[in-house]
């Protein structure tokens, strides 16, 4: 009896999965993470460096810390284009000639080369009553008080040989580098009583009072609006095609 030996077939070779697509995806993700990390790091460095440079270039009469933040998805792309879309500056505790103010600045179209002009700069500057008293000088011995949407100022006047006090209420407007107080009503004060000035308003406080604030602003910066609230005032100022360098920041306007 003959026994036939059947041929032994080799075992099939193990199939190797194609891993390279997953490796490629991993590399791409890793590169994306590195780009984001680099973007964040360079953005933070640029913000800190910009804050330092701005603080060093402030006018001699201005002192305080400035925080800088740069908006936009990719900081490195903006740098490569040579222009930052939006830069925000916050200085909540500045001192201008000893006057305390808070400033919030938004600049758009900011060139990375600061010898070139910024497209648009808009800022809000907040002052409390003591700061307003230092900035606004009224004729005679009048003193200014900030109300809720309006202002009033008090002083004294000679009437028929008697020195009596008066109070004038008015509205405030701002344009260019001037703040204008337009009287709306007046009363003559005498102890606890008050007499309506009536026709004497024109002679006592009928003319608008104009206060120039150019000497507190860099040349080329103008006041757009002024909002009054009890105990404080907020001015909105702006400038176009403004070069943010040491010379521009330290060159203040003048009043004629």
């Amino acid at each position: 009896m003959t026994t036939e030996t059947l041929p032994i077939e080799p075992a099939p070779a193990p199939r190797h999965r194609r891993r390279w697509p997953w490796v490629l995806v991993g590399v791409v993700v890793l590169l994306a993470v590195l780009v984001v990390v680099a973007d964040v790091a360079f953005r933070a460095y640029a913000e800190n460096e910009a804050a330092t440079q701005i603080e060093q270039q402030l006018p001699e009469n201005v002192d305080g810390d400035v925080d800088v933040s740069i908006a936009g998805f990719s900081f490195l792309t903006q740098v490569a284009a040579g222009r930052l879309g939006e830069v925000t500056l916050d200085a909540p505790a500045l001192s201008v000639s000893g006057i305390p103010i808070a400033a919030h600045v938004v600049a758009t179209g900011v060139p990375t080369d600061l010898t070139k002009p910024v497209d648009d700069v808009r800022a809000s500057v907040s002052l409390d009553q003591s700061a307003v008293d230092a900035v606004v000088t009224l004729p005679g011995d009048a003193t200014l008080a900030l109300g809720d949407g309006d202002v009033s100022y008090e002083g004294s006047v000679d009437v028929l040989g008697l020195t009596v006090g008066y109070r004038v209420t008015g509205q405030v407007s701002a344009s260019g580098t001037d703040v204008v107080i337009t009287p709306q009503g007046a009363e003559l004060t005498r102890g606890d009583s008050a007499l309506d000035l009536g026709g004497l308003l024109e002679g006592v406080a009928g003319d608008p009072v104009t206060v120039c604030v150019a000497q507190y602003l860099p040349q080329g910066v103008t006041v757009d609006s002024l909002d009054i609230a009890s105990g404080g005032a907020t001015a909105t100022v702006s400038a176009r095609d403004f070069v943010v360098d040491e010379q521009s920041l330290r060159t203040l306007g003048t009043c004629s």
Side-chain angles (χ1 to χ4, degrees), residues 170-218:
Q171 297 293 320
V172 178
S173 60
S175 178
T177 57
D178 289 335
V179 174
V180 180
I181 304 173
T182 303
Q184 301 292 315
E187 58 184 13
L188 185 66
T189 59
R190 182 183 302 165
D192 295 333
S193 62
L195 302 175
D196 183 18
L197 283 176
L200 295 179
L201 172 62
E202 185 71 23
V204 175
D207 296 329
V209 177
T210 300
V211 179
C212 176
V213 294
Q215 70 269 28
Y216 299 103
L217 302 171

Side-chain angles (χ1 to χ4, degrees), residues 62-237:
V62 180
D63 185 43
D65 296 330
V66 178
D67 292 327
V68 176
S69 60
I70 301 172
F73 175 70
S74 173
F75 170 72
L76 295 177
T77 301
Q78 295 181 71
V79 171
R83 187 167 291 269
L84 305 178
E86 182 178 291
V87 178
T88 302
L89 286 69
D90 278 300
L94 280 181
S95 174
V96 181
S97 298
I99 302 169
I101 69 169
H104 175 76
V105 182
V106 178
T108 55
V110 181
T112 54
D113 180 0
L114 293 183
T115 62
K116 298 178 180 180
V118 178
D119 290 348
D120 185 77
V121 180
R122 297 187 181 276
S124 60
V125 181
S126 300
L127 305 88
D128 60 16
Q129 180 70 63
S130 62
V132 172
D133 292 340
V135 173
V136 178
T137 302
L138 298 177
D141 61 352
T143 57
L144 185 69
L146 303 176
D148 188 8
D150 59 10
V151 298
S152 64
Y153 53 93
E154 298 184 12
S156 61
V157 63
D158 290 333
V159 178
L160 300 177
L162 299 176
T163 300
V164 294
Y166 67 86
R167 180 186 300 111
V168 177
T169 58
Q171 297 293 320
V172 178
S173 60
S175 178
T177 57
D178 289 335
V179 174
V180 180
I181 304 173
T182 303
Q184 301 292 315
E187 58 184 13
L188 185 66
T189 59
R190 182 183 302 165
D192 295 333
S193 62
L195 302 175
D196 183 18
L197 283 176
L200 295 179
L201 172 62
E202 185 71 23
V204 175
D207 296 329
V209 177
T210 300
V211 179
C212 176
V213 294
Q215 70 269 28
Y216 299 103
L217 302 171
Q219 193 170 36
V221 177
T222 59
V223 182
D224 298 329
S225 63
L226 185 63
D227 297 323
I228 304 298
S230 181
T234 300
T236 301
V237 301

Side-chain angles (χ1 to χ4, degrees), residues 1-20:
M1 180 175 180
T2 303
T3 303
E4 295 182 358
T5 303
L6 298 177
I8 301 175
E9 296 182 359
R15 295 181 180 180
H16 294 283
R17 295 181 180 179
R18 294 184 177 180
R19 296 182 178 180
W20 67 266

Side-chain angles (χ1 to χ4, degrees), residues 16-29:
H16 294 283
R17 295 181 180 179
R18 294 184 177 180
R19 296 182 178 180
W20 67 266
W22 297 106
V23 172
L24 180 60
V25 170
V27 171
V28 171
V29 171

